[in-house]
Amino acid sequence: MDRSAAVEVSEDENEVSEDEDEVSEVVLRSPRGASVRISLFGGQVQSWKTERGEELLFTSSKAIFMPPVAVRGGIAICFPKFGEQVSAELHGFVRNRMWVIDENPAPLQSTDSSTGNAFIDLVYKSTDDDLRFWHHRFELRLRVILSVDGFLTLISRAQNVDSKPFSFSFAYHTYFSVSDIRLIEFMSVLQHKETGRVKRVNFKSNAICFVMTVVWNPWEKKSKTIIDFGNDEYKHMLCVDAAAIENPITLKPGEEWTGRVELSFMSTLLHSLVAL
Protein backbone atom coordinates (compact mmCIF):
# COMPACT_ATOMS: atom_id res chain seq x y z
CA MET A 1 0.00 0.00 0.00
CA ASP A 2 1.13 3.54 -0.73
CA ARG A 3 1.16 4.99 2.80
CA SER A 4 1.24 8.57 1.42
CA ALA A 5 -2.17 8.22 -0.19
CA ALA A 6 -4.34 10.04 2.31
CA VAL A 7 -6.70 12.98 2.67
CA GLU A 8 -6.41 16.16 4.70
CA VAL A 9 -9.55 17.20 6.57
CA SER A 10 -10.39 20.59 8.05
CA GLU A 11 -13.26 21.63 10.28
CA ASP A 12 -15.18 22.85 7.23
CA GLU A 13 -14.72 20.10 4.68
CA ASN A 14 -14.16 16.37 4.41
CA GLU A 15 -12.44 14.89 1.36
CA VAL A 16 -11.89 11.23 0.75
CA SER A 17 -9.71 9.47 -1.80
CA GLU A 18 -8.67 5.88 -2.36
CA ASP A 19 -5.18 4.46 -2.43
CA GLU A 20 -4.02 1.67 -4.73
CA ASP A 21 -5.70 -0.92 -2.49
CA GLU A 22 -8.97 1.03 -2.51
CA VAL A 23 -8.74 1.72 1.22
CA SER A 24 -9.53 5.32 2.12
CA GLU A 25 -7.66 7.32 4.74
CA VAL A 26 -8.20 10.69 6.40
CA VAL A 27 -5.52 12.99 7.82
CA LEU A 28 -6.23 15.54 10.54
CA ARG A 29 -3.69 18.33 11.11
CA SER A 30 -3.42 20.82 13.94
CA PRO A 31 -2.41 24.44 13.28
CA ARG A 32 0.93 23.71 14.96
CA GLY A 33 1.73 20.74 12.74
CA ALA A 34 0.68 17.65 14.68
CA SER A 35 -1.18 15.06 12.62
CA VAL A 36 -3.38 11.98 12.87
CA ARG A 37 -4.05 9.48 10.08
CA ILE A 38 -7.22 7.38 10.27
CA SER A 39 -8.05 4.46 7.98
CA LEU A 40 -11.63 3.63 7.09
CA PHE A 41 -10.57 0.00 7.35
CA GLY A 42 -11.37 -0.75 10.98
CA GLY A 43 -11.93 2.93 11.83
CA GLN A 44 -8.33 2.68 12.96
CA VAL A 45 -5.94 5.47 13.89
CA GLN A 46 -2.72 4.36 12.22
CA SER A 47 -0.47 7.34 12.89
CA TRP A 48 -0.26 10.12 15.51
CA LYS A 49 2.63 12.55 15.16
CA THR A 50 3.70 15.52 17.25
CA GLU A 51 4.37 18.91 15.69
CA ARG A 52 8.04 17.84 15.54
CA GLY A 53 7.11 14.83 13.43
CA GLU A 54 7.68 12.29 16.23
CA GLU A 55 5.56 9.19 15.69
CA LEU A 56 3.76 8.20 18.91
CA LEU A 57 2.14 4.99 17.65
CA PHE A 58 3.76 1.73 16.63
CA THR A 59 2.86 -0.19 13.48
CA SER A 60 4.63 -3.41 12.62
CA SER A 61 6.80 -3.44 9.51
CA LYS A 62 5.01 -6.68 8.62
CA ALA A 63 1.48 -5.32 9.14
CA ILE A 64 -1.07 -6.14 6.44
CA PHE A 65 -3.02 -3.07 5.32
CA MET A 66 -5.97 -4.62 3.56
CA PRO A 67 -9.01 -6.72 4.47
CA PRO A 68 -9.67 -9.17 5.94
CA VAL A 69 -6.61 -9.04 8.26
CA ALA A 70 -6.63 -6.44 11.06
CA VAL A 71 -3.69 -4.00 10.99
CA ARG A 72 -1.04 -4.81 13.59
CA GLY A 73 -0.51 -1.42 15.23
CA GLY A 74 -2.07 1.99 15.75
CA ILE A 75 -5.30 2.15 17.75
CA ALA A 76 -7.66 -0.70 16.96
CA ILE A 77 -11.33 -0.52 17.98
CA CYS A 78 -12.22 -3.82 19.67
CA PHE A 79 -15.95 -4.58 19.74
CA PRO A 80 -18.13 -6.48 20.65
CA LYS A 81 -15.55 -8.59 22.52
CA PHE A 82 -12.03 -7.98 23.74
CA GLY A 83 -9.63 -10.72 24.79
CA GLU A 84 -12.01 -13.47 23.73
CA GLN A 85 -12.42 -15.57 20.62
CA VAL A 86 -15.59 -14.60 18.75
CA SER A 87 -16.00 -17.40 16.22
CA ALA A 88 -12.92 -16.89 14.01
CA GLU A 89 -12.28 -13.27 15.02
CA LEU A 90 -10.12 -12.30 18.00
CA HIS A 91 -10.89 -9.01 19.79
CA GLY A 92 -14.16 -8.58 17.94
CA PHE A 93 -14.70 -8.00 14.25
CA VAL A 94 -15.29 -4.26 13.68
CA ARG A 95 -11.53 -3.75 13.38
CA ASN A 96 -11.70 -6.00 10.28
CA ARG A 97 -14.53 -4.11 8.58
CA MET A 98 -14.80 -1.08 6.31
CA TRP A 99 -16.25 1.97 8.04
CA VAL A 100 -17.69 5.09 6.40
CA ILE A 101 -17.68 8.78 7.25
CA ASP A 102 -20.69 9.58 9.43
CA GLU A 103 -22.92 11.99 7.53
CA ASN A 104 -25.11 12.65 10.57
CA PRO A 105 -22.75 13.00 13.56
CA ALA A 106 -23.76 14.15 17.02
CA PRO A 107 -23.04 17.81 17.87
CA LEU A 108 -19.63 18.55 19.34
CA GLN A 109 -19.53 19.18 23.07
CA SER A 110 -18.28 22.60 24.12
CA THR A 111 -15.04 21.11 25.45
CA ASP A 112 -14.35 19.50 22.05
CA SER A 113 -15.26 22.42 19.81
CA SER A 114 -12.35 24.70 20.65
CA THR A 115 -11.09 26.80 17.75
CA GLY A 116 -8.44 24.93 15.81
CA ASN A 117 -9.53 21.41 16.78
CA ALA A 118 -9.72 19.06 13.81
CA PHE A 119 -12.09 16.11 13.86
CA ILE A 120 -13.71 13.35 11.82
CA ASP A 121 -16.72 11.13 12.52
CA LEU A 122 -16.88 7.52 11.32
CA VAL A 123 -19.63 4.90 11.65
CA TYR A 124 -19.97 1.16 11.27
CA LYS A 125 -23.44 -0.42 10.98
CA SER A 126 -23.72 -4.16 11.43
CA THR A 127 -24.64 -6.24 8.40
CA ASP A 128 -26.43 -9.52 7.82
CA ASP A 129 -23.04 -11.15 7.32
CA ASP A 130 -21.95 -10.01 10.80
CA LEU A 131 -24.75 -12.09 12.33
CA ARG A 132 -22.56 -15.13 11.66
CA PHE A 133 -20.12 -13.83 14.28
CA TRP A 134 -22.46 -12.03 16.69
CA HIS A 135 -26.24 -12.39 16.74
CA HIS A 136 -27.15 -8.76 17.41
CA ARG A 137 -27.61 -5.64 15.31
CA PHE A 138 -25.79 -2.47 16.34
CA GLU A 139 -24.37 0.84 15.20
CA LEU A 140 -20.91 1.93 16.35
CA ARG A 141 -19.71 5.51 15.90
CA LEU A 142 -16.24 6.94 16.38
CA ARG A 143 -15.19 10.56 16.66
CA VAL A 144 -11.47 11.35 16.41
CA ILE A 145 -10.41 14.81 17.62
CA LEU A 146 -6.94 16.35 17.26
CA SER A 147 -6.50 19.41 19.47
CA VAL A 148 -4.44 22.51 18.74
CA ASP A 149 -1.77 21.13 21.10
CA GLY A 150 -1.68 17.85 19.19
CA PHE A 151 -3.50 15.84 21.85
CA LEU A 152 -5.75 13.02 20.70
CA THR A 153 -9.30 12.20 21.83
CA LEU A 154 -11.39 9.23 20.71
CA ILE A 155 -15.11 9.04 21.51
CA SER A 156 -17.10 5.91 20.74
CA ARG A 157 -20.88 5.44 20.84
CA ALA A 158 -22.40 1.97 20.64
CA GLN A 159 -26.15 1.74 20.05
CA ASN A 160 -28.41 -1.29 20.24
CA VAL A 161 -30.63 -1.24 17.13
CA ASP A 162 -31.80 -4.80 17.73
CA SER A 163 -35.09 -5.99 19.21
CA LYS A 164 -33.44 -7.65 22.21
CA PRO A 165 -30.76 -6.68 24.77
CA PHE A 166 -27.11 -7.54 24.28
CA SER A 167 -23.92 -7.37 26.33
CA PHE A 168 -20.48 -6.45 25.03
CA SER A 169 -16.93 -5.52 25.97
CA PHE A 170 -14.84 -2.82 24.37
CA ALA A 171 -11.24 -1.61 24.12
CA TYR A 172 -9.05 0.97 22.44
CA HIS A 173 -6.20 -1.44 21.62
CA THR A 174 -3.37 1.10 21.48
CA TYR A 175 0.15 0.29 20.27
CA PHE A 176 2.53 2.98 21.57
CA SER A 177 5.98 3.46 20.09
CA VAL A 178 8.80 3.27 22.64
CA SER A 179 12.56 3.62 22.23
CA ASP A 180 13.41 0.47 24.20
CA ILE A 181 10.93 -1.71 26.09
CA ARG A 182 13.69 -2.69 28.51
CA LEU A 183 13.85 0.89 29.78
CA ILE A 184 10.11 1.15 30.43
CA GLU A 185 8.90 1.10 34.02
CA PHE A 186 5.32 1.16 35.24
CA MET A 187 3.36 0.32 38.36
CA SER A 188 0.11 -1.62 38.47
CA VAL A 189 -2.44 -2.46 41.12
CA LEU A 190 -2.30 -6.10 40.12
CA GLN A 191 1.32 -7.23 40.14
CA HIS A 192 1.97 -10.40 38.21
CA LYS A 193 4.50 -11.61 35.70
CA GLU A 194 4.25 -14.12 32.91
CA THR A 195 7.30 -15.88 31.58
CA GLY A 196 8.22 -14.67 28.12
CA ARG A 197 5.82 -11.75 27.83
CA VAL A 198 4.31 -8.82 29.71
CA LYS A 199 0.60 -8.77 30.37
CA ARG A 200 -0.74 -6.77 33.28
CA VAL A 201 -4.23 -5.57 34.08
CA ASN A 202 -4.83 -2.52 36.26
CA PHE A 203 -8.26 -2.93 37.81
CA LYS A 204 -10.14 0.32 38.44
CA SER A 205 -7.20 2.44 37.36
CA ASN A 206 -6.97 6.06 38.51
CA ALA A 207 -6.18 7.03 34.91
CA ILE A 208 -8.93 8.43 32.71
CA CYS A 209 -10.14 5.20 31.19
CA PHE A 210 -13.12 2.91 31.28
CA VAL A 211 -12.94 0.16 33.89
CA MET A 212 -9.39 -1.03 33.57
CA THR A 213 -6.10 -0.60 31.76
CA VAL A 214 -4.51 -3.55 29.98
CA VAL A 215 -0.73 -3.44 29.39
CA TRP A 216 0.75 -5.93 26.92
CA ASN A 217 4.00 -6.78 25.15
CA PRO A 218 4.54 -10.17 23.42
CA TRP A 219 8.26 -10.27 24.30
CA GLU A 220 10.86 -12.29 22.44
CA LYS A 221 9.40 -15.81 22.34
CA LYS A 222 5.83 -14.84 21.48
CA SER A 223 6.97 -12.34 18.84
CA LYS A 224 8.44 -15.14 16.74
CA THR A 225 5.03 -16.83 16.50
CA ILE A 226 3.12 -13.77 15.22
CA ILE A 227 3.05 -13.73 11.42
CA ASP A 228 2.48 -9.98 11.00
CA PHE A 229 5.04 -8.92 13.63
CA GLY A 230 8.83 -8.67 13.36
CA ASN A 231 10.92 -10.91 15.60
CA ASP A 232 12.61 -7.97 17.34
CA GLU A 233 9.81 -5.41 17.15
CA TYR A 234 8.67 -6.13 20.71
CA LYS A 235 11.55 -3.90 21.81
CA HIS A 236 9.88 -0.83 20.34
CA MET A 237 6.21 -1.16 21.27
CA LEU A 238 3.90 -1.36 24.25
CA CYS A 239 0.13 -1.78 24.22
CA VAL A 240 -1.70 0.28 26.84
CA ASP A 241 -5.42 -0.32 26.37
CA ALA A 242 -8.31 1.60 27.88
CA ALA A 243 -10.91 -1.14 28.13
CA ALA A 244 -14.33 -2.07 29.48
CA ILE A 245 -13.89 -5.79 30.08
CA GLU A 246 -14.20 -6.48 33.82
CA ASN A 247 -17.99 -6.27 33.69
CA PRO A 248 -19.82 -6.58 30.34
CA ILE A 249 -21.93 -3.61 29.30
CA THR A 250 -25.59 -4.38 28.64
CA LEU A 251 -27.76 -2.29 26.32
CA LYS A 252 -31.50 -2.62 25.93
CA PRO A 253 -33.04 -1.99 22.48
CA GLY A 254 -32.53 1.66 21.56
CA GLU A 255 -30.02 2.35 24.33
CA GLU A 256 -26.59 3.86 23.67
CA TRP A 257 -23.25 3.67 25.50
CA THR A 258 -20.45 6.23 25.19
CA GLY A 259 -16.75 5.64 25.83
CA ARG A 260 -13.96 8.20 25.69
CA VAL A 261 -10.17 8.13 25.88
CA GLU A 262 -7.88 11.18 25.94
CA LEU A 263 -4.19 10.84 25.04
CA SER A 264 -1.59 13.55 25.64
CA PHE A 265 2.18 13.74 25.78
CA MET A 266 5.16 15.77 26.94
CA SER A 267 7.88 15.84 24.29
CA THR A 268 10.77 15.79 26.76
CA LEU A 269 9.40 12.69 28.50
CA LEU A 270 7.66 11.11 25.54
CA HIS A 271 8.83 7.53 25.83
CA SER A 272 8.28 7.24 29.58
CA LEU A 273 4.86 8.84 29.75
CA VAL A 274 3.28 6.70 27.07
CA ALA A 275 3.93 3.65 29.26
CA LEU A 276 1.55 4.62 32.07
Side-chain angles (χ1 to χ4, degrees), residues 5-9 14-16 24-28 36-40 101 119-120 122:
V7 182
E8 292 187 22
V9 176
N14 292 341
E15 298 179 6
V16 178
S24 298
E25 295 181 332
V26 175
V27 171
L28 307 180
V36 171
R37 188 179 74 245
I38 311 105
S39 174
L40 269 63
I101 292 179
F119 65 92
I120 188 69
L122 305 180

PDB file of all heavy atoms in Angstrom, residues 5-9 14-16 24-28 36-40 101 119-120 122:
ATOM      1  N   ALA A   5      -0.871   7.945   0.414  1.00  0.00           N
ATOM      2  CA  ALA A   5      -2.169   8.216  -0.193  1.00  0.00           C
ATOM      3  C   ALA A   5      -3.183   8.452   0.904  1.00  0.00           C
ATOM      4  O   ALA A   5      -3.694   7.529   1.507  1.00  0.00           O
ATOM      5  CB  ALA A   5      -2.594   7.039  -1.066  1.00  0.00           C
ATOM      6  N   ALA A   6      -3.439   9.698   1.228  1.00  0.00           N
ATOM      7  CA  ALA A   6      -4.340  10.043   2.314  1.00  0.00           C
ATOM      8  C   ALA A   6      -5.023  11.355   1.993  1.00  0.00           C
ATOM      9  O   ALA A   6      -4.763  11.984   0.973  1.00  0.00           O
ATOM     10  CB  ALA A   6      -3.580  10.124   3.640  1.00  0.00           C
ATOM     11  N   VAL A   7      -5.898  11.793   2.899  1.00  0.00           N
ATOM     12  CA  VAL A   7      -6.703  12.983   2.670  1.00  0.00           C
ATOM     13  C   VAL A   7      -6.589  13.910   3.864  1.00  0.00           C
ATOM     14  O   VAL A   7      -6.651  13.467   4.998  1.00  0.00           O
ATOM     15  CB  VAL A   7      -8.194  12.588   2.495  1.00  0.00           C
ATOM     16  CG1 VAL A   7      -9.037  13.805   2.199  1.00  0.00           C
ATOM     17  CG2 VAL A   7      -8.332  11.569   1.401  1.00  0.00           C
ATOM     18  N   GLU A   8      -6.413  15.186   3.622  1.00  0.00           N
ATOM     19  CA  GLU A   8      -6.412  16.157   4.696  1.00  0.00           C
ATOM     20  C   GLU A   8      -7.833  16.643   4.925  1.00  0.00           C
ATOM     21  O   GLU A   8      -8.589  16.870   3.993  1.00  0.00           O
ATOM     22  CB  GLU A   8      -5.506  17.343   4.366  1.00  0.00           C
ATOM     23  CG  GLU A   8      -4.036  16.965   4.327  1.00  0.00           C
ATOM     24  CD  GLU A   8      -3.148  18.175   4.179  1.00  0.00           C
ATOM     25  OE1 GLU A   8      -3.612  19.280   4.520  1.00  0.00           O
ATOM     26  OE2 GLU A   8      -2.009  18.017   3.734  1.00  0.00           O
ATOM     27  N   VAL A   9      -8.194  16.802   6.213  1.00  0.00           N
ATOM     28  CA  VAL A   9      -9.546  17.201   6.570  1.00  0.00           C
ATOM     29  C   VAL A   9      -9.482  18.416   7.469  1.00  0.00           C
ATOM     30  O   VAL A   9      -8.705  18.467   8.420  1.00  0.00           O
ATOM     31  CB  VAL A   9     -10.276  16.049   7.305  1.00  0.00           C
ATOM     32  CG1 VAL A   9     -11.650  16.496   7.762  1.00  0.00           C
ATOM     33  CG2 VAL A   9     -10.392  14.854   6.388  1.00  0.00           C
ATOM     34  N   ASN A  14     -14.700  17.718   4.368  1.00  0.00           N
ATOM     35  CA  ASN A  14     -14.162  16.368   4.408  1.00  0.00           C
ATOM     36  C   ASN A  14     -13.935  15.900   2.983  1.00  0.00           C
ATOM     37  O   ASN A  14     -14.836  15.968   2.154  1.00  0.00           O
ATOM     38  CB  ASN A  14     -15.143  15.415   5.101  1.00  0.00           C
ATOM     39  CG  ASN A  14     -15.282  15.713   6.576  1.00  0.00           C
ATOM     40  OD1 ASN A  14     -14.434  16.361   7.156  1.00  0.00           O
ATOM     41  ND2 ASN A  14     -16.361  15.244   7.170  1.00  0.00           N
ATOM     42  N   GLU A  15     -12.741  15.434   2.683  1.00  0.00           N
ATOM     43  CA  GLU A  15     -12.438  14.893   1.364  1.00  0.00           C
ATOM     44  C   GLU A  15     -11.895  13.489   1.532  1.00  0.00           C
ATOM     45  O   GLU A  15     -11.136  13.214   2.435  1.00  0.00           O
ATOM     46  CB  GLU A  15     -11.403  15.769   0.652  1.00  0.00           C
ATOM     47  CG  GLU A  15     -11.867  17.186   0.395  1.00  0.00           C
ATOM     48  CD  GLU A  15     -10.797  18.005  -0.292  1.00  0.00           C
ATOM     49  OE1 GLU A  15      -9.764  17.415  -0.661  1.00  0.00           O
ATOM     50  OE2 GLU A  15     -10.984  19.209  -0.432  1.00  0.00           O
ATOM     51  N   VAL A  16     -12.308  12.617   0.663  1.00  0.00           N
ATOM     52  CA  VAL A  16     -11.894  11.225   0.747  1.00  0.00           C
ATOM     53  C   VAL A  16     -11.351  10.782  -0.598  1.00  0.00           C
ATOM     54  O   VAL A  16     -11.916  11.097  -1.641  1.00  0.00           O
ATOM     55  CB  VAL A  16     -13.081  10.315   1.141  1.00  0.00           C
ATOM     56  CG1 VAL A  16     -12.632   8.857   1.186  1.00  0.00           C
ATOM     57  CG2 VAL A  16     -13.641  10.736   2.491  1.00  0.00           C
ATOM     58  N   SER A  24      -9.590   3.876   1.924  1.00  0.00           N
ATOM     59  CA  SER A  24      -9.525   5.323   2.124  1.00  0.00           C
ATOM     60  C   SER A  24      -8.923   5.675   3.477  1.00  0.00           C
ATOM     61  O   SER A  24      -9.069   4.936   4.458  1.00  0.00           O
ATOM     62  CB  SER A  24     -10.928   5.922   2.023  1.00  0.00           C
ATOM     63  OG  SER A  24     -11.475   5.695   0.745  1.00  0.00           O
ATOM     64  N   GLU A  25      -8.251   6.802   3.511  1.00  0.00           N
ATOM     65  CA  GLU A  25      -7.658   7.323   4.738  1.00  0.00           C
ATOM     66  C   GLU A  25      -7.989   8.797   4.869  1.00  0.00           C
ATOM     67  O   GLU A  25      -8.230   9.480   3.877  1.00  0.00           O
ATOM     68  CB  GLU A  25      -6.138   7.147   4.728  1.00  0.00           C
ATOM     69  CG  GLU A  25      -5.678   5.707   4.748  1.00  0.00           C
ATOM     70  CD  GLU A  25      -4.163   5.602   4.762  1.00  0.00           C
ATOM     71  OE1 GLU A  25      -3.510   6.529   4.236  1.00  0.00           O
ATOM     72  OE2 GLU A  25      -3.644   4.615   5.305  1.00  0.00           O
ATOM     73  N   VAL A  26      -7.968   9.280   6.108  1.00  0.00           N
ATOM     74  CA  VAL A  26      -8.202  10.688   6.401  1.00  0.00           C
ATOM     75  C   VAL A  26      -7.046  11.183   7.258  1.00  0.00           C
ATOM     76  O   VAL A  26      -6.588  10.478   8.156  1.00  0.00           O
ATOM     77  CB  VAL A  26      -9.536  10.888   7.154  1.00  0.00           C
ATOM     78  CG1 VAL A  26      -9.716  12.334   7.561  1.00  0.00           C
ATOM     79  CG2 VAL A  26     -10.712  10.425   6.289  1.00  0.00           C
ATOM     80  N   VAL A  27      -6.568  12.384   7.001  1.00  0.00           N
ATOM     81  CA  VAL A  27      -5.524  12.990   7.815  1.00  0.00           C
ATOM     82  C   VAL A  27      -6.068  14.253   8.473  1.00  0.00           C
ATOM     83  O   VAL A  27      -6.622  15.123   7.793  1.00  0.00           O
ATOM     84  CB  VAL A  27      -4.271  13.337   6.979  1.00  0.00           C
ATOM     85  CG1 VAL A  27      -3.293  14.162   7.804  1.00  0.00           C
ATOM     86  CG2 VAL A  27      -3.588  12.057   6.492  1.00  0.00           C
ATOM     87  N   LEU A  28      -5.919  14.335   9.785  1.00  0.00           N
ATOM     88  CA  LEU A  28      -6.232  15.543  10.537  1.00  0.00           C
ATOM     89  C   LEU A  28      -4.920  16.231  10.877  1.00  0.00           C
ATOM     90  O   LEU A  28      -3.947  15.574  11.251  1.00  0.00           O
ATOM     91  CB  LEU A  28      -6.969  15.210  11.835  1.00  0.00           C
ATOM     92  CG  LEU A  28      -8.221  14.340  11.750  1.00  0.00           C
ATOM     93  CD1 LEU A  28      -8.794  14.123  13.149  1.00  0.00           C
ATOM     94  CD2 LEU A  28      -9.261  14.965  10.844  1.00  0.00           C
ATOM     95  N   VAL A  36      -2.805  13.296  12.596  1.00  0.00           N
ATOM     96  CA  VAL A  36      -3.376  11.977  12.868  1.00  0.00           C
ATOM     97  C   VAL A  36      -3.873  11.411  11.557  1.00  0.00           C
ATOM     98  O   VAL A  36      -4.515  12.118  10.775  1.00  0.00           O
ATOM     99  CB  VAL A  36      -4.547  12.052  13.872  1.00  0.00           C
ATOM    100  CG1 VAL A  36      -5.270  10.707  13.958  1.00  0.00           C
ATOM    101  CG2 VAL A  36      -4.052  12.463  15.246  1.00  0.00           C
ATOM    102  N   ARG A  37      -3.553  10.148  11.282  1.00  0.00           N
ATOM    103  CA  ARG A  37      -4.047   9.477  10.082  1.00  0.00           C
ATOM    104  C   ARG A  37      -4.983   8.354  10.488  1.00  0.00           C
ATOM    105  O   ARG A  37      -4.621   7.502  11.289  1.00  0.00           O
ATOM    106  CB  ARG A  37      -2.902   8.919   9.245  1.00  0.00           C
ATOM    107  CG  ARG A  37      -3.359   8.388   7.883  1.00  0.00           C
ATOM    108  CD  ARG A  37      -2.223   7.850   7.036  1.00  0.00           C
ATOM    109  NE  ARG A  37      -1.741   6.566   7.517  1.00  0.00           N
ATOM    110  CZ  ARG A  37      -0.545   6.329   8.005  1.00  0.00           C
ATOM    111  NH1 ARG A  37       0.328   7.322   8.092  1.00  0.00           N
ATOM    112  NH2 ARG A  37      -0.187   5.130   8.409  1.00  0.00           N
ATOM    113  N   ILE A  38      -6.209   8.372   9.931  1.00  0.00           N
ATOM    114  CA  ILE A  38      -7.224   7.380  10.266  1.00  0.00           C
ATOM    115  C   ILE A  38      -7.617   6.616   9.015  1.00  0.00           C
ATOM    116  O   ILE A  38      -7.906   7.223   7.978  1.00  0.00           O
ATOM    117  CB  ILE A  38      -8.485   8.041  10.866  1.00  0.00           C
ATOM    118  CG1 ILE A  38      -8.105   9.023  11.993  1.00  0.00           C
ATOM    119  CG2 ILE A  38      -9.460   6.994  11.373  1.00  0.00           C
ATOM    120  CD1 ILE A  38      -8.210  10.457  11.608  1.00  0.00           C
ATOM    121  N   SER A  39      -7.631   5.302   9.100  1.00  0.00           N
ATOM    122  CA  SER A  39      -8.051   4.464   7.982  1.00  0.00           C
ATOM    123  C   SER A  39      -9.517   4.097   8.145  1.00  0.00           C
ATOM    124  O   SER A  39      -9.981   3.801   9.256  1.00  0.00           O
ATOM    125  CB  SER A  39      -7.208   3.190   7.925  1.00  0.00           C
ATOM    126  OG  SER A  39      -7.702   2.302   6.934  1.00  0.00           O
ATOM    127  N   LEU A  40     -10.247   4.079   7.034  1.00  0.00           N
ATOM    128  CA  LEU A  40     -11.630   3.634   7.094  1.00  0.00           C
ATOM    129  C   LEU A  40     -11.718   2.115   7.241  1.00  0.00           C
ATOM    130  O   LEU A  40     -12.785   1.588   7.529  1.00  0.00           O
ATOM    131  CB  LEU A  40     -12.411   4.097   5.857  1.00  0.00           C
ATOM    132  CG  LEU A  40     -13.116   5.454   6.008  1.00  0.00           C
ATOM    133  CD1 LEU A  40     -12.113   6.574   6.241  1.00  0.00           C
ATOM    134  CD2 LEU A  40     -13.998   5.755   4.817  1.00  0.00           C
ATOM    135  N   ILE A 101     -17.566   7.492   6.562  1.00  0.00           N
ATOM    136  CA  ILE A 101     -17.683   8.780   7.252  1.00  0.00           C
ATOM    137  C   ILE A 101     -19.136   8.989   7.656  1.00  0.00           C
ATOM    138  O   ILE A 101     -20.049   8.769   6.865  1.00  0.00           O
ATOM    139  CB  ILE A 101     -17.188   9.924   6.358  1.00  0.00           C
ATOM    140  CG1 ILE A 101     -15.678   9.801   6.152  1.00  0.00           C
ATOM    141  CG2 ILE A 101     -17.533  11.283   6.959  1.00  0.00           C
ATOM    142  CD1 ILE A 101     -15.084  10.860   5.257  1.00  0.00           C
ATOM    143  N   PHE A 119     -11.395  17.324  13.482  1.00  0.00           N
ATOM    144  CA  PHE A 119     -12.094  16.109  13.860  1.00  0.00           C
ATOM    145  C   PHE A 119     -12.709  15.424  12.652  1.00  0.00           C
ATOM    146  O   PHE A 119     -12.910  16.024  11.600  1.00  0.00           O
ATOM    147  CB  PHE A 119     -13.183  16.406  14.898  1.00  0.00           C
ATOM    148  CG  PHE A 119     -14.294  17.277  14.390  1.00  0.00           C
ATOM    149  CD1 PHE A 119     -15.439  16.717  13.840  1.00  0.00           C
ATOM    150  CD2 PHE A 119     -14.200  18.660  14.451  1.00  0.00           C
ATOM    151  CE1 PHE A 119     -16.473  17.516  13.359  1.00  0.00           C
ATOM    152  CE2 PHE A 119     -15.223  19.466  13.973  1.00  0.00           C
ATOM    153  CZ  PHE A 119     -16.359  18.888  13.426  1.00  0.00           C
ATOM    154  N   ILE A 120     -13.018  14.140  12.836  1.00  0.00           N
ATOM    155  CA  ILE A 120     -13.705  13.355  11.825  1.00  0.00           C
ATOM    156  C   ILE A 120     -14.619  12.369  12.546  1.00  0.00           C
ATOM    157  O   ILE A 120     -14.290  11.892  13.637  1.00  0.00           O
ATOM    158  CB  ILE A 120     -12.716  12.600  10.900  1.00  0.00           C
ATOM    159  CG1 ILE A 120     -13.443  11.942   9.734  1.00  0.00           C
ATOM    160  CG2 ILE A 120     -11.915  11.584  11.677  1.00  0.00           C
ATOM    161  CD1 ILE A 120     -14.012  12.884   8.725  1.00  0.00           C
ATOM    162  N   LEU A 122     -16.713   8.737  12.101  1.00  0.00           N
ATOM    163  CA  LEU A 122     -16.884   7.517  11.320  1.00  0.00           C
ATOM    164  C   LEU A 122     -18.001   6.675  11.938  1.00  0.00           C
ATOM    165  O   LEU A 122     -18.330   6.827  13.126  1.00  0.00           O
ATOM    166  CB  LEU A 122     -15.595   6.704  11.293  1.00  0.00           C
ATOM    167  CG  LEU A 122     -14.328   7.406  10.794  1.00  0.00           C
ATOM    168  CD1 LEU A 122     -13.151   6.433  10.831  1.00  0.00           C
ATOM    169  CD2 LEU A 122     -14.521   7.960   9.395  1.00  0.00           C
TER     170      LEU A 122
END
